[in-house]
Amino acid sequence: MRARPGLVLALATLGAIAVAPAQAGPAQLAVRTLATGQAVPWDIGYLPDGSGIYTERDTKKIKKITGTTVTTLHTVNEAVPGGEGGLLGIAVSPTFTTDNTVYIYYTAASDNRVSRLRIGGGGAPEPIVTGIPKNRFHNGGGLQFGPDGFLWATTGDAGNSANAQNTSSLAGKVLRFTTTGAAAPGNPFSSRVYSYGHRNPQGITWVGDRAYATEFGNNRTDELNWIQSGKNYGWPTCEGPCNDTRFVNPVKSWPTSSAGPTGIAYAKNALYVACVTGRRVWKIPVNGTELGTPEAVFTGYGRVRAAGTAPDGTLWLGTSNRDGRGSPATTDDRLLSTDG
């Protein structure tokens, strides 16, 4: 769920991570298979050498792909998959070349947490944020370094809507914190909480200094929100836009049947929102601070979950048709790419 300059838009076939030209429609894509046999890739990052690095929710594996070669870098044995939980977000340290460190968001035995992990060191993850409420559903899981240099995490309400309005709880929030897990300077509540009133936000990215996060609605409306310090996004009182000045309305919204928004990436003056329920990607033109009309692109590839724009200008998407909700469920997840 990365946002970097340049774009060749990545596509996903059933159970796949894929890459495709930014300006092309589905019929114009020339997709090549990089690897088969993957399982529910959840989040994608990139190493300084341009290699992709990604998590698999249920296998608990962190994998790397270079060219057509996939290797397992680490198995996070501390992760406890189940329902929507497991090994979720990944953020590569800005100083990876010297510290070989990534940050991971995962469901543990008693909570969701963020940990620091040295790749290749053989050690266990070092927790930096613990106590994020967990449940079978609504675990959030997004994790990114923002342009301010701090880590941002998206957390679900853990199936208890009251958590979202409780600023003392880490559930139903967007969190902002340092690489040691301390509250980032300037946070509105002198805690890790940056915004609240969220149901189940997942993807997060930036256009300049504006953070945008995707959010699952309940049974009516899914959301794309502009995340602002200290603001209340309304759950459970509001689902989608509502006429209540206490809450911030989403900048875009969809019927839940058309979205299920997860990963998000920004490139070539557009936001790309990956959707599992709607089995599509929403392309949203960006002109300064204005967002244009969403266009459904890359349909027919199943449940699209992860999105990330790589350093070489390719945008990757990952599907999760093996997550038990695919129709029909597939027995093989793939990595795909195109030169554009």
Side-chain angles (χ1 to χ4, degrees):
M1 303 177 188
R2 304 293 177 262
R4 295 201 175 112
L7 171 68
V8 178
L9 180 64
L11 278 189
T13 61
L14 293 176
I17 293 176
V19 196
Q23 304 304 320
Q28 298 170 281
L29 299 175
V31 177
R32 63 190 178 98
T33 299
L34 298 177
T36 60
Q38 308 310 297
V40 193
W42 203 94
D43 192 16
I44 313 166
Y46 301 95
L47 301 178
D49 66 2
S51 299
I53 185 171
Y54 59 98
T55 56
E56 288 187 335
R57 187 191 67 187
D58 298 339
T59 69
K60 308 186 287 187
K61 293 179 180 179
I62 299 173
K63 293 183 174 181
K64 174 183 177 181
I65 182 165
T66 304
T68 59
T69 301
V70 174
T71 55
T72 296
L73 298 180
H74 193 94
T75 300
V76 182
N77 292 317
E78 295 77 4
V80 181
E84 295 172 353
L87 180 57
L88 304 175
I90 187 167
V92 177
S93 168
T95 54
F96 184 88
T97 53
T98 57
D99 59 28
N100 280 345
T101 295
V102 298
Y103 295 82
I104 51 176
Y105 184 120
Y106 59 98
T107 309
S110 60
D111 59 3
N112 288 301
R113 55 182 55 187
V114 176
S115 291
R116 179 168 43 215
L117 177 66
R118 183 176 175 84
I119 296 294
E126 176 190 353
I128 62 170
V129 177
T130 60
I132 303 170
K134 63 170 278 188
N135 199 335
R136 184 168 178 79
F137 305 107
H138 304 185
N139 292 297
L143 186 65
Q144 284 281 351
F145 275 99
D148 55 9
F150 297 115
L151 282 160
W152 297 54
T154 58
T155 72
D157 68 7
N160 180 356
S161 60
N163 284 335
Q165 290 297 316
N166 179 3
T167 56
S168 296
S169 171
L170 296 180
K173 308 294 187 298
V174 173
L175 309 178
R176 179 174 171 264
F177 49 94
T178 70
T179 54
T180 65
N187 278 6
F189 304 106
S190 300
S191 71
R192 300 181 183 103
V193 174
Y194 190 76
S195 65
Y196 67 111
H198 299 286
R199 181 176 181 270
N200 192 23
Q202 290 194 351
I204 188 167
T205 196
W206 284 261
V207 178
D209 61 358
R210 285 195 175 207
Y212 291 94
T214 60
E215 183 165 340
F216 281 82
N218 183 23
N219 53 23
R220 295 195 311 272
T221 309
D222 291 329
E223 302 177 357
L224 175 65
N225 287 301
W226 169 26
I227 303 302
Q228 303 170 64
S229 176
K231 298 296 186 180
N232 185 343
Y233 290 80
W235 177 254
T237 302
C238 293
E239 180 184 350
C242 69
N243 187 24
D244 192 323
T245 57
R246 295 174 298 170
F247 308 129
V248 178
N249 281 331
V251 292
K252 296 293 177 185
S253 59
W254 302 267
T256 53
S257 61
S258 299
T262 54
I264 184 171
Y266 172 69
K268 293 284 187 179
N269 299 316
L271 289 164
Y272 292 86
V273 177
C275 299
V276 288
T277 309
R279 292 168 168 79
R280 68 190 66 193
V281 175
W282 287 107
K283 177 182 178 181
I284 306 172
V286 179
N287 183 8
T289 60
E290 299 297 320
L291 301 186
T293 302
E295 174 191 2
V297 295
F298 311 123
T299 57
Y301 296 94
R303 294 168 59 81
V304 189
R305 182 172 296 278
T309 310
D312 67 356
T314 61
L315 176 74
W316 294 17
L317 302 179
T319 68
S320 59
N321 291 293
R322 293 183 64 185
D323 65 3
R325 296 181 178 181
S327 179
T330 63
T331 58
D332 180 45
D333 285 352
R334 303 179 178 214
L335 303 180
L336 308 173
S337 72
T338 179
D339 295 328

